[in-house]
Amino acid sequence: MAKQTKIENIRNIGIMAHIDAGKTTVTERILYYTGRSHKIGEVHDGEAVMDWMEDEQDRGITITSAVTYCEWKGKTVQIIDTPGHVDFTVEVERALRVLDGAVGVFCAVGGVEPQSETVWRQADRYTVPRIAFVNKMDRTGADFFNTIEMMKTRLKARPLVLQLPVGKEDTFSGVIDLIERKQIRWNDESLGATYEEVEIDPALSEEADMYRENLIEAVAEADDDIMEKYLSEDVISVDDLKAAIRRVTVSEKYVPVLCGSALKNKGIQPLLDAINLYLPSPVEVKPVQGVHPETGETIECPADRKGPLSALIFKVSMIEGRKLSFARLYSGRIDAGSDVYNSFLGKNEKLSRILRMHAKKRERLDSAYAGDIVGIVGLKQSSTGETLCAKDHPVLLDRMEYEDPVISIAVEPKTHDDQEKLDEVLEKFLVEDPTLKVNKDEETGQTLLSGMGELHLEIIVSRMLKEFKTNVNVGNPQVVYREAIGSAARGQAVFEKEISGKEHYADIRMSLSPLERGEGVRFRSRVDPGSVPDHFVQAVEKGARDTLESGYYRGYPIVDTEVVFEGITLDENKTSELACTVCASIACRNALEKASVYLLEPVMTVELFVPEAFMGDAIGDLNARGGQVESVDARGDTQIIKATAPLSNMFGYSTVLRSATQGRGTFTMQFSHFDKVQ
Ligand code: GDP
Ligand code: MG
């Protein structure tokens, strides 16, 4: 049976990188050197261990937040994979919540790419301590110090240089460890598994001394212990220095920087050492906070294994037809075969198995403890964002909120066989992905999938085909609109009908008025509570809300509207909940007829990164798409254009931009708000 790791020895980390910086290759090397995977699978062979979903291998980008367990020098390192594409910011945020520290991987040639800034800022918000790895030191044009400068200017980070590269580009052979004052040289024959520690090359020793001095001064600035020793000219031992670097990293004063070449198998073991040495264990980060589900009072969940359970489900996957919930335990423990309380649902759930996730295989555990990240089998109803806890100590760790989908596609099964599989497959996807919505159009028989962006839906469709062999015809992407009212209006209706031998009656008056953008739907009753039973008022509210939800103009939900229940004429014997709901619905439609309903469309925030030479064209094109440029910033030879534009004009934009900029322009796009269709 698997042994229990002391909580101090756990490192829950994420690897954050701009696409192509080498995240997959670094992760894959980590798994190789920690002995978890037995062959090095190159990304371009599509064999990398982390990229276990077929789809990711095709695209060469990592989409799902898989978690992987490995061990290094007595510590347990759990790697939570963070996706890099902006359509998946929800997944990035989910991953950031459950990790305690992160490794930022940068490409030594490109340095800090503009898109890395987004993820870095997210990590700032979640106060995640970080170290940095400057990868691809073997490539032509690799520049370690330039990357460090870019970390300062673009990320506003305070890098702490712990290593110097030895050699450059194709002569890059290893690193100088400034703390230990030694040079590390990797052996190519062993695929980097073995290396030698040698005296610093005399030609480099002066530079190394200087950088070591800089390092100590920088640490002294932020750490009293080192400052004291530095001022009194005491010896600062290697252990003192390491301990201080740990303190300034955990407190996010500095970001230690290392370098190497993952592809050429250099620099990975010191990176693992640095993860062990400098990134925090679960007990060193601020205790997670939640609220009491009833009273709303704040509850702290310190990382105590003997305390009451608190765990957050941060991802749910369907694997081999089984629902697997990934949970981060913050306090307490869980045991296989026992009951846990889901505080969001207010229900007990039985967990049958606890699994430790390696990249491809799973290992059964009897129990899991605070600090662990595990897969759980058996939770039938729990879904992403919900909290598992002890029933007598209920807590809700912040529930994650999702934007509503803004784009949809219609899919139609190709054959009768596909028809049968489709529903089943979609049900699986819905369990995994809270940002996906599925609607059936009863009239056309089409199934409408709605999601967060074009790529999001593209991936869903290609997974249907590849993982589940379900063939569908796919329509063009469509914008998901909303509706709103242009003016206040009143409505009235009388409902009188005999249904299965019983008379139903109500006479209802209501009014609608427009609210500010983003306020949603509000319901208010002006009827004297003494004269109408509560359940009738609730029935009226339901009737009105259902009507608004199904729209008026083109069938999209009506938002930003206040409904006021103005009055009702009751009949003691005939008025029923049913009559109230139906009558309210008719009265509401009646008001909508006079309320000048109009369409709202999703407007996106677009960030463009283009070389100077293409800036004029890019702005011209954005304007032609109804976009509004808000700012233009120069970052070296890249121009960053921030704009807003209606989503309906931005379909296929990635292809257009790529060809217009010879592949050198990139962009990110996120939902901003709904606005009146122009
Ligand atoms: P990711 O998108 O961040 O996951 O990056 P990948 O790990 O998929 O790497 C992107 C590309 O860069 C692949 O073709 C890798 O083989 C290559 N690559 C990764 N690390 C290095 C490196 O250290 N040196 C060189 N020359 N290429 C690398
Ligand atoms: Mg990758």
Side-chain angles (χ1 to χ4, degrees):
M1 200 22 80
K3 64 184 186 306
Q4 182 189 347
T5 316
K6 274 199 191 144
I7 194 162
E8 292 78 17
N9 290 336
I10 294 178
R11 299 290 178 270
N12 290 323
I13 62 154
I15 299 185
M16 314 185 318
H18 167 247
I19 286 176
D20 262 6
K23 184 176 71 174
T24 303
T25 313
V26 168
T27 309
E28 208 269 335
R29 294 304 187 270
I30 288 178
L31 298 176
Y32 177 67
Y33 296 124
T34 56
R36 287 289 156 181
S37 67
H38 296 291
K39 89 178 196 230
I40 292 190
E42 301 301 347
V43 173
H44 50 254
D45 296 339
E47 277 185 359
V49 181
M50 278 305 256
D51 284 7
W52 49 300
M53 270 169 48
E54 221 187 309
D55 213 54
E56 291 179 57
Q57 294 184 18
D58 274 8
R59 288 167 195 272
I61 56 172
T62 307
I63 295 153
T64 44
S65 327
V67 56
T68 304
Y69 172 99
C70 57
E71 283 175 17
W72 181 250
K73 297 187 181 168
K75 306 255 189 296
T76 287
V77 179
Q78 306 193 92
I79 305 170
I80 299 119
D81 196 14
T82 52
H85 194 279
V86 76
D87 270 12
F88 303 97
T89 14
V90 189
E91 294 210 350
V92 179
E93 303 234 342
R94 257 188 242 159
L96 283 172
R97 294 177 60 103
V98 299
L99 45 85
D100 299 318
V103 177
V105 174
F106 299 99
C107 167
V109 181
V112 177
E113 298 278 350
Q115 291 94 325
S116 310
E117 291 176 37
T118 317
V119 189
W120 196 268
R121 265 182 255 128
Q122 278 173 320
D124 284 340
R125 254 196 296 127
Y126 282 87
T127 61
V128 177
R130 271 151 281 174
I131 58 183
F133 183 72
V134 180
N135 189 34
K136 303 201 187 184
M137 287 304 302
D138 61 298
R139 272 188 59 191
T140 310
D143 190 337
F144 179 62
F145 295 103
N146 179 50
T147 307
I148 298 213
E149 273 314 300
M150 289 172 98
M151 286 180 67
K152 289 186 203 162
T153 52
R154 301 202 176 172
L155 304 177
K156 310 278 177 256
R158 296 179 72 193
L160 204 57
V161 179
L162 303 190
Q163 295 179 338
L164 296 182
V166 179
K168 200 173 181 227
E169 305 178 343
D170 55 357
T171 66
F172 174 71
S173 65
V175 300
I176 290 172
D177 178 334
L178 294 172
I179 301 174
E180 306 254 13
R181 278 202 184 97
K182 65 188 185 197
Q183 190 165 318
I184 307 174
R185 196 162 50 209
W186 274 270
N187 301 323
D188 288 332
E189 310 76 53
S190 69
L191 293 176
T194 55
Y195 50 88
E196 287 141 29
E197 294 181 354
V198 296
E199 291 285 311
I200 295 177
D201 182 341
L204 298 172
S205 81
E206 202 174 312
E207 196 188 2
D209 284 345
M210 185 185 90
Y211 274 96
R212 190 174 202 275
E213 193 60 23
N214 290 351
L215 169 65
I216 292 173
E217 273 175 30
V219 176
E221 240 176 71
D223 189 84
D224 292 344
D225 179 56
I226 298 294
M227 179 58 101
E228 242 170 69
K229 292 196 165 100
Y230 182 72
L231 290 178
S232 59
E233 291 180 21
D234 271 4
V235 189
I236 299 169
S237 71
V238 164
D239 286 344
D240 287 344
L241 193 54
K242 285 180 177 169
I245 294 173
R246 176 176 194 77
R247 289 191 290 271
V248 297
T249 308
V250 171
S251 57
E252 286 181 88
K253 293 188 180 109
Y254 282 106
V255 177
V257 187
L258 299 92
C259 65
S261 162
L263 185 68
K264 298 289 162 65
N265 310 308
K266 296 179 174 71
I268 301 298
Q269 296 91 342
L271 175 62
L272 278 160
D273 288 341
I275 290 168
N276 277 0
L277 278 170
Y278 309 128
L279 289 179
S281 78
V283 279
E284 286 162 294
V285 291
K286 265 188 260 141
V288 67
Q289 285 195 340
V291 294
H292 191 285
E294 269 115 52
T295 65
E297 100 190 82
T298 306
I299 298 174
E300 241 180 37
C301 307
D304 176 4
R305 289 181 162 174
K306 299 207 170 70
L309 170 68
S310 65
L312 181 72
I313 300 175
F314 66 97
K315 185 175 178 65
V316 176
S317 289
M318 294 299 295
I319 295 180
E320 289 158 16
R322 274 222 195 133
K323 189 170 156 186
L324 184 61
S325 310
F326 291 92
R328 157 81 199 245
L329 277 78
Y330 290 98
S331 60
R333 63 183 280 173
I334 52 173
D335 301 301
S338 69
D339 279 352
V340 283
Y341 182 69
N342 178 319
S343 54
F344 181 76
L345 301 174
K347 278 187 184 149
N348 271 330
E349 284 244 75
K350 191 174 196 69
L351 50 92
S352 52
R353 284 186 191 179
I354 303 171
L355 302 172
R356 175 179 282 168
M357 308 304 295
H358 303 272
K360 271 190 171 153
K361 71 178 170 65
R362 284 147 255 167
E363 177 188 5
R364 277 173 76 163
L365 305 177
D366 285 339
S367 309
Y369 305 87
D372 288 343
I373 297 179
V374 290
I376 300 176
V377 183
L379 301 176
K380 291 212 171 61
Q381 301 181 49
S382 303
S383 52
T384 304
E386 294 171 5
T387 306
L388 303 177
C389 56
K391 196 169 184 179
D392 51 355
H393 283 89
V395 60
L396 270 178
L397 303 170
D398 304 71
R399 192 176 152 76
M400 303 161 189
E401 290 194 5
Y402 306 107
E403 299 283 2
D404 283 334
V406 288
I407 185 166
S408 71
I409 48 170
V411 295
E412 245 171 20
K414 281 199 174 144
T415 66
H416 186 72
D417 222 28
D418 295 321
Q419 171 83 60
E420 288 187 349
K421 279 192 278 183
L422 184 64
D423 292 335
E424 212 176 298
V425 171
L426 288 175
E427 209 164 301
K428 286 194 180 114
F429 286 163
L430 284 173
V431 170
E432 287 183 18
D433 182 353
T435 60
L436 176 72
K437 297 270 180 318
V438 176
N439 286 303
K440 267 243 162 82
D441 187 327
E442 301 300 342
E443 279 166 33
T444 62
Q446 279 182 331
T447 300
L448 212 58
L449 309 182
S450 323
M452 308 307 290
E454 264 183 297
L455 182 62
H456 183 202
L457 296 179
E458 257 173 46
I459 284 165
I460 301 256
V461 170
S462 88
R463 281 186 65 194
M464 277 186 203
L465 184 64
K466 292 205 183 115
E467 280 176 52
F468 301 96
K469 313 278 177 266
T470 308
N471 278 292
V472 290
N473 293 316
V474 182
N476 288 327
Q478 306 284 335
V479 165
V480 179
Y481 294 94
R482 296 287 184 277
E483 297 179 7
I485 58 173
S487 57
R490 289 174 178 279
Q492 196 243 336
V494 181
F495 179 76
E496 198 163 15
K497 204 169 189 158
E498 194 186 297
I499 303 169
S500 6
K502 194 186 173 308
E503 296 264 13
H504 293 266
Y505 172 84
D507 176 343
I508 287 173
R509 273 114 22 225
M510 75 171 54
S511 64
L512 303 177
S513 50
L515 293 173
E516 295 282 305
R517 202 54 67 236
E519 288 201 63
V521 171
R522 278 209 303 256
F523 177 87
R524 193 154 59 86
S525 171
R526 285 233 293 254
V527 173
D528 171 19
S531 66
V532 182
D534 248 9
H535 63 274
F536 284 173
V537 179
Q538 281 156 20
V540 169
E541 175 167 0
K542 182 176 184 319
R545 283 190 185 273
D546 287 353
T547 304
L548 294 182
E549 183 62 31
S550 44
Y552 175 79
Y553 181 52
R554 293 213 357 224
Y556 295 104
I558 294 173
V559 295
D560 306 339
T561 300
E562 183 181 55
V563 181
V564 180
F565 176 24
E566 303 278 0
I568 181 167
T569 310
L570 297 165
D571 179 307
E572 226 172 278
N573 299 315
K574 296 188 199 160
T575 300
S576 61
E577 279 179 34
L578 174 78
C580 286
T581 303
V582 179
C583 186
S585 162
I586 302 167
C588 188
R589 279 197 81 76
N590 182 275
L592 285 172
E593 276 168 29
K594 296 170 269 181
S596 332
V597 177
Y598 60 88
L599 269 190
L600 293 173
E601 66 178 340
V603 176
M604 311 301 276
T605 310
V606 186
E607 240 183 331
L608 274 184
F609 309 92
V610 292
E612 171 93 63
F614 300 103
M615 187 176 75
D617 286 351
I619 291 181
D621 178 61
L622 269 179
N623 286 334
R625 291 168 188 274
Q628 300 212 325
V629 174
E630 284 170 2
S631 68
V632 180
D633 278 314
R635 285 288 166 78
D637 46 9
T638 302
Q639 299 289 321
I640 304 182
I641 303 165
K642 286 194 182 136
T644 55
L647 173 62
S648 55
N649 297 342
M650 296 298 288
F651 288 150
Y653 189 63
S654 54
T655 320
V656 173
L657 183 70
R658 220 177 294 132
S659 58
T661 60
Q662 295 158 13
R664 293 168 60 207
T666 55
F667 78 112
T668 67
M669 185 158 79
Q670 266 173 301
F671 172 72
S672 165
H673 61 279
F674 278 99
D675 210 347
K676 191 168 180 173
V677 174
Q678 294 303 323

